[in-house]
């Protein structure tokens, strides 16, 4: 289950610069609107020192990390929900991703124009949010008009749908993102065919200048963005696209020195992924054998049966049991053999809730 994140924001917010840094690729990042028209896609490995340690212990022929797919989507402008700028393309690409990384301009630069006339991160975020809400409202109202006829005729399923649609319509009118409405699983299932935009979780990225990264506290405007994210039940992080792009071009040893020089706790890619995983409730489990050590991404709360299908469809189809031990026990004791001798390998059934850092072997029969 590769996490797919769409990088969005107003033109000249620094989306492509940050995309280049995350993927260590080179796409155009010139200072003019709609530099990105077709979405650029980059697939990157999730940094995980635990997988390196597992490779050291098992010495497998192949090591396969979990991956994240970043999609650099064209900049949005006011009126995108009505087709302004590249609005239709922008909104269509958003429908395809799991989460949104909203890059917000928090830097001043004389050579990089600002379409809204000046620096105001919260205003910029509100522009994008409004366009998503308007497009969702259009989708909900269209479906509502279609469902009201059958509902009036006594169709119970249509009546339930109308009830949910009217509830969501009120929330959208009130300026609330669908993802922040606290909908039940059933309500979300009813809405799923609409592919609403504002249901997706959002990670806000304050794209700041070098000076901001060197200070311990946040500037007033950056703090206001963090406060906005908190009110939306979301998260925000602070990055400098310019610095991150420089880091991406360095070799491994130079990167460590650079990160230390600028007092960065971690490079941008790791910071992005950790924040995105946290926001989405994603975790990691491992499978290991002499052929391959591999990291897998799963939703927190998933069962051994749920994730078996990720590893191999036969594992789920012919599931017998899952042998499970924890990465920490393996590293502490030094080998799987000792872990087994210590009685730390659990024999788990289909309903076992997979934990962060589990190492799993599947027993199956087809």
């Amino acid at each position: 289950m590769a996490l797919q994140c769409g990088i969005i924001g107003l033109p000249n917010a620094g989306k492509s610069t940050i995309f280049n840094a995350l993927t260590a690729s080179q796409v155009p990042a010139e200072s003019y609107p709609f530099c990105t028209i077709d979405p650029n896609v980059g697939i990157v490995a999730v940094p995980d020192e635990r997988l390196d340690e597992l490779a050291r212990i098992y010495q497998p022929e192949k090591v396969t990390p979990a991956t994240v797919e970043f999609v650099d989507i064209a900049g949005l402008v006011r009126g995108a929900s009505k087709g302004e700028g590249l609005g239709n393309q922008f909104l269509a690409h958003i429908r395809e991703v799991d989460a949104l990384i909203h890059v917000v301009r928090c830097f001043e630069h004389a050579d990089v124009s600002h379409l809204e006339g000046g620096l105001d991160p919260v205003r910029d975020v509100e522009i994008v949010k409004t366009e998503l809400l308007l497009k969702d409202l259009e989708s909900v109202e269209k479906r509502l008009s279609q469902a009201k006829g059958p509902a009036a005729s006594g169709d119970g399923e249509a009546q339930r749908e109308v009830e949910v649609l009217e509830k969501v319509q009120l929330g959208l009118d009130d300026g609330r993102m669908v993802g922040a409405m606290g909908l039940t699983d059933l309500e979300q299932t009813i809405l799923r065919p609409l592919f609403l935009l504002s249901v997706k979780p959002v990670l806000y990225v304050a794209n700041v200048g070098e000076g901001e990264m060197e200070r311990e506290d946040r500037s007033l405007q950056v703090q206001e963005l963090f406060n906005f994210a908190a009110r939306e039940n979301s998260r925000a992080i602070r990055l400098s696209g310019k610095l991150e792009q420089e880091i991406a071009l360095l070799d491994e040893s130079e990167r460590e020195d650079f990160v230390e020089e600028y007092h960065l706790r971690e490079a941008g890619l790791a910071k992005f992924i950790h924040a995105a995983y946290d926001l989405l409730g994603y975790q990691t489990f491992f499978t290991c054998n002499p052929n391959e050590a591999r990291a897998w991404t799963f939703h927190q709360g998933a069962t051994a049966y749920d994730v078996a299908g990720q590893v191999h469809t036969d594992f789920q189809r012919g599931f017998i049991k899952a042998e499970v031990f924890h990465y920490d026990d393996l590293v502490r004791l030094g080998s799987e053999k000792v872990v087994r001798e210590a009685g730390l390998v659990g024999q788990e059934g289909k309903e076992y809730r997979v934990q962060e850092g589990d190492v799993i072997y599947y027993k199956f029969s087809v």
Side-chain angles (χ1 to χ4, degrees), residues 285 287 289 296 304-322 350 360-366:
F285 75 93
T287 55
N289 57 53
W296 304 85
Y305 180 78
D306 293 332
V307 302
Q310 289 180 237
V311 183
H312 199 289
T313 54
D314 283 350
F315 290 4
Q316 189 175 63
R317 186 160 59 95
F319 185 100
I320 298 174
K321 65 180 178 180
K350 290 183 178 181
I360 303 178
Y361 285 93
Y362 281 102
K363 301 292 185 180
F364 69 103
S365 176
V366 293

Side-chain angles (χ1 to χ4, degrees), residues 40 81 117 136 145 150 168-169 258 266 268 285 294 317 329 338 365:
N40 297 290
S81 58
D136 279 353
S145 67
V168 171
Q169 182 184 36
F258 196 102
E266 56 186 347
F285 75 93
R294 182 162 183 167
R317 186 160 59 95
D329 291 329
V338 179
S365 176

Side-chain angles (χ1 to χ4, degrees), residues 141-163 165:
E141 289 177 342
K142 180 179 179 181
R143 179 57 196 157
L144 190 55
S145 67
Q146 295 170 343
K148 280 184 174 178
S153 301
D155 185 322
E157 190 173 320
Q159 289 172 347
R160 285 190 294 274
E161 183 179 8
V162 166
E163 184 180 333
L165 290 170

Side-chain angles (χ1 to χ4, degrees), residues 39-314:
N40 297 290
V41 178
I43 299 175
V44 300
V46 174
D48 195 328
E49 294 178 354
R50 295 173 300 178
L51 186 61
D52 298 332
E53 184 65 17
L54 290 172
R56 185 192 66 77
I57 293 172
Y58 283 90
Q59 296 293 308
E61 295 178 7
K62 183 180 179 183
V63 178
T64 306
T67 59
V68 173
E69 185 173 310
F70 291 107
V71 183
D72 183 19
I73 299 172
L76 175 147
V77 296
R78 289 183 188 271
S81 58
K82 303 301 180 185
E84 292 294 326
L86 295 168
N88 290 330
Q89 290 171 262
F90 173 95
L91 297 167
H93 293 315
I94 287 178
R95 296 187 194 281
E96 300 171 7
V97 300
D98 301 312
L100 301 177
I101 295 174
H102 188 164
V103 177
V104 186
R105 181 170 173 175
C106 296
F107 65 88
E108 296 279 11
H109 198 298
D111 296 330
V112 182
S113 63
H114 199 303
L115 296 188
E116 293 297 323
L119 196 63
D120 188 338
V122 173
R123 176 207 58 206
D124 292 352
V125 166
E126 291 281 13
I127 291 171
V128 174
K129 176 183 174 182
T130 297
E131 296 304 324
L132 298 182
L133 293 178
L134 288 172
K135 195 64 178 179
D136 279 353
L137 189 58
E138 177 185 304
S139 299
V140 168
E141 289 177 342
K142 180 179 179 181
R143 179 57 196 157
L144 190 55
S145 67
Q146 295 170 343
K148 280 184 174 178
S153 301
D155 185 322
E157 190 173 320
Q159 289 172 347
R160 285 190 294 274
E161 183 179 8
V162 166
E163 184 180 333
V164 174
L165 290 170
E166 288 179 338
K167 175 181 176 179
V168 171
Q169 182 184 36
L170 286 173
L172 291 169
D173 280 332
D174 197 37
R176 288 187 292 146
M177 303 279 271
V178 175
M181 291 183 190
L183 301 177
T184 66
D185 290 344
L186 177 59
E187 289 170 334
Q188 292 178 46
T189 299
I190 290 172
L191 291 173
R192 193 164 293 133
L194 297 182
F195 296 100
L196 299 178
L197 305 173
S198 68
V199 75
K200 298 180 185 297
V202 183
L203 173 64
Y204 295 96
V205 178
N207 186 13
V208 302
E210 295 179 29
E212 174 80 20
M213 292 304 298
E214 293 179 351
R215 54 187 289 176
E216 286 293 326
D217 60 342
R218 304 182 188 118
S219 66
L220 178 60
Q221 288 180 315
V222 172
Q223 185 59 53
E224 287 176 348
L225 176 62
F226 273 66
N227 294 343
F228 175 91
R231 291 194 299 272
E232 295 282 310
N233 294 318
S234 188
R235 287 199 55 181
I237 61 173
R238 184 174 59 166
L239 287 182
S240 170
K242 183 175 181 295
L243 281 181
E244 293 297 338
Q245 195 164 24
E246 290 179 34
I247 292 172
L249 299 176
L250 301 173
D251 62 38
E252 195 63 40
S253 61
E254 291 176 316
R255 286 183 191 181
E256 292 178 6
D257 293 339
F258 196 102
V259 168
E260 185 175 342
E261 178 183 348
Y262 279 90
H263 309 294
L264 306 176
R265 293 177 182 173
E266 56 186 347
L269 176 60
K271 192 173 185 179
F272 253 96
I273 292 172
H274 291 156
Y277 268 44
D278 206 36
L279 180 68
L280 290 165
Y282 275 22
Q283 296 182 326
T284 303
F285 75 93
F286 304 96
T287 55
C288 296
N289 57 53
N291 295 323
E292 183 181 36
R294 182 162 183 167
W296 304 85
T297 300
F298 70 98
H299 278 291
Q300 186 176 358
T303 65
Y305 180 78
D306 293 332
V307 302
Q310 289 180 237
V311 183
H312 199 289
T313 54
D314 283 350

